């Protein structure tokens, strides 16, 4: 069986294998294109993520009266007042609030920040952040609400880890924005280590204290302690944040582009 085709002015029968070769060439080209587009899309998403992180860093700011957050229930707690009154202490917006107020951040992020969502559902009543410019320590004061337990009447350990990680992110951003990390991109959590010392009862107001340990090229190690603002320690932890190698990522994108161009050349020749 064959198909009828034209070759100059003569009509002839062409073997089926030519159809298969053409189809294979076309399928190969299509597959290569899909593979390239998929990889290009991944690199584009990575670049967008980096841009989003950069927007968040640019949005980082101290909390001001016009930000219209508060009043806070925790402002009447003695240890919170003492914390806020330390020399060099500044209160700042939490990450979700920063992005909502930044024009670029609004374009790059959806309204899906974990703690902003939990605040709307009353699972987190308050999440306040402070940075001491003198000691370079970053603090979170967190008042938890309802439905946050794993074991009965005990705050879920995974939520505690998320709170600690969020505070680490605040410290990293503060250090980056104030020039303490040099010229680098916003980092991501690469490692999170937590030691749970005792259970956290529902309704406890938490104080998360984070500070810098070491700085390496593209890497920052930090440590944290979670207490009740007094002598009771609930969690101790460490985290490693790593800034992406943006040059390597974009170099990979260009390599795939060149490979795609080479792949299309024989496919186009076979189908012609």
């Amino acid at each position: 069986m064959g198909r009828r085709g034209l070759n100059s002015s003569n009509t002839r029968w062409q073997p089926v294998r030519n159809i298969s070769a053409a189809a294979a060439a076309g399928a190969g080209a299509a597959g290569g294109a899909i593979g390239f587009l998929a990889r290009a899309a991944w690199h584009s998403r990575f670049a967008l993520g980096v841009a989003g992180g950069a927007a968040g860093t640019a949005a980082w700011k101290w909390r001001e009266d016009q930000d219209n957050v508060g009043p806070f229930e925790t402002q009447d707690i003695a240890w919170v007042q003492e914390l806020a009154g330390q020399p060099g202490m500044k209160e700042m917006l939490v990450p979700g609030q920063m992005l909502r107020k930044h024009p670029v951040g609004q374009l790059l992020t959806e309204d899906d920040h974990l703690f902003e969502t939990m605040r709307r559902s009353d699972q987190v009543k308050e999440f306040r952040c402070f940075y001491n410019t003198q000691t370079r320590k970053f603090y979170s004061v967190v008042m938890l609400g309802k439905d946050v337990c794993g074991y009965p009447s005990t705050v879920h350990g995974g939520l505690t880890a998320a709170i600690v990680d969020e505070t680490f992110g605040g410290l990293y951003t503060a250090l980056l924005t104030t020039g303490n990390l040099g010229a680098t991109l916003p980092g991501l959590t690469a490692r999170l280590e937590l030691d749970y010392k005792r259970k956290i009862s529902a309704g406890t107001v938490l104080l998360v204290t984070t500070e810098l340990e070491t700085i390496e090229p593209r890497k920052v190690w930090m440590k944290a302690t979670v207490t009740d603002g007094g002598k009771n320690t609930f969690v101790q932890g460490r985290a490693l944040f790593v800034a992406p190698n943006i040059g390597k990522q974009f170099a990979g994108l260009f390599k795939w582009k060149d490979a795609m161009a080479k792949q299309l050349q024989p496919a186009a020749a076979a189908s012609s």
Side-chain angles (χ1 to χ4, degrees):
M1 181 68 69
R3 72 172 177 87
R4 201 165 182 85
L6 297 177
N7 183 8
S8 299
S9 59
N10 298 322
T11 300
R12 69 175 182 176
W13 292 97
Q14 296 177 341
V16 171
R17 65 175 177 271
N18 285 354
I19 302 176
S20 300
I34 291 172
F36 171 73
L37 291 174
R39 295 181 181 100
W42 186 91
H43 285 286
S44 297
R45 289 180 64 185
F46 175 85
L48 185 61
V50 171
T57 302
W60 184 85
K61 61 193 292 290
W62 311 126
R63 185 177 70 83
E64 301 170 353
D65 292 338
Q66 61 265 31
D67 290 324
N68 194 28
V69 290
F72 300 105
E73 293 183 48
T74 54
Q75 65 188 15
D76 295 326
I77 299 176
W79 62 261
V80 177
Q81 294 176 351
E82 182 179 350
L83 176 72
Q86 290 181 13
M89 189 69 75
K90 299 287 186 180
E91 185 165 3
M92 59 173 290
L93 295 176
V94 297
Q97 293 169 334
M98 288 188 234
L99 290 176
R100 301 298 165 267
K101 289 183 173 292
H102 194 272
V104 177
Q106 291 173 4
L107 295 175
L108 295 176
T109 60
E110 298 179 4
D111 191 16
D112 60 356
H113 190 275
L114 172 63
F115 290 105
E116 285 291 280
T117 302
M118 295 186 74
R119 183 184 56 79
R120 290 192 293 269
S121 66
D122 207 34
Q123 291 174 291
V124 173
K125 290 183 176 293
E126 292 181 13
F127 200 121
R128 302 175 64 185
C129 297
F130 300 85
Y131 179 61
N132 192 311
T133 57
Q134 296 181 10
T135 63
R136 297 194 300 180
K137 292 184 179 181
F138 191 96
Y139 306 85
S140 290
V141 176
V142 184
M143 175 180 282
L144 297 174
K146 59 183 181 180
D147 303 329
V148 294
C149 295
Y151 192 80
S153 302
T154 303
V155 175
H156 195 290
L159 176 58
T160 306
I163 292 171
V164 174
D165 184 51
E166 186 80 352
T167 310
F168 275 133
L171 174 59
Y172 184 95
T173 303
L175 293 171
L176 178 63
T177 308
T178 52
N180 288 284
L181 300 184
T184 186
L185 290 171
L188 306 172
T189 308
R191 187 174 182 87
L192 182 63
E193 305 171 357
L194 296 179
D195 293 322
Y196 294 86
K197 301 298 184 180
R198 63 177 66 190
K199 71 175 186 178
I200 301 176
S201 299
T204 303
V205 178
L206 301 177
L207 171 63
V208 186
T209 303
T210 58
E211 57 185 302
L212 178 67
E213 276 194 343
T214 60
I215 299 176
E216 305 171 22
R218 294 180 45 233
K219 296 181 180 180
V220 176
W221 280 98
M222 299 165 283
K223 63 181 180 180
T225 304
V226 182
T227 70
D228 60 357
K231 297 181 179 179
N232 294 318
T233 298
F234 302 114
V235 178
Q236 290 179 332
R238 299 175 74 230
L240 169 65
F241 272 45
V242 177
N245 188 336
I246 189 65
K248 182 178 179 180
Q249 296 296 330
F250 281 105
L253 175 59
F254 291 122
K255 287 181 181 179
W256 283 117
K257 182 180 178 182
D258 293 339
M260 179 60 187
K262 293 179 180 178
Q263 184 175 355
L264 288 177
Q265 289 174 356
S271 59
S272 60

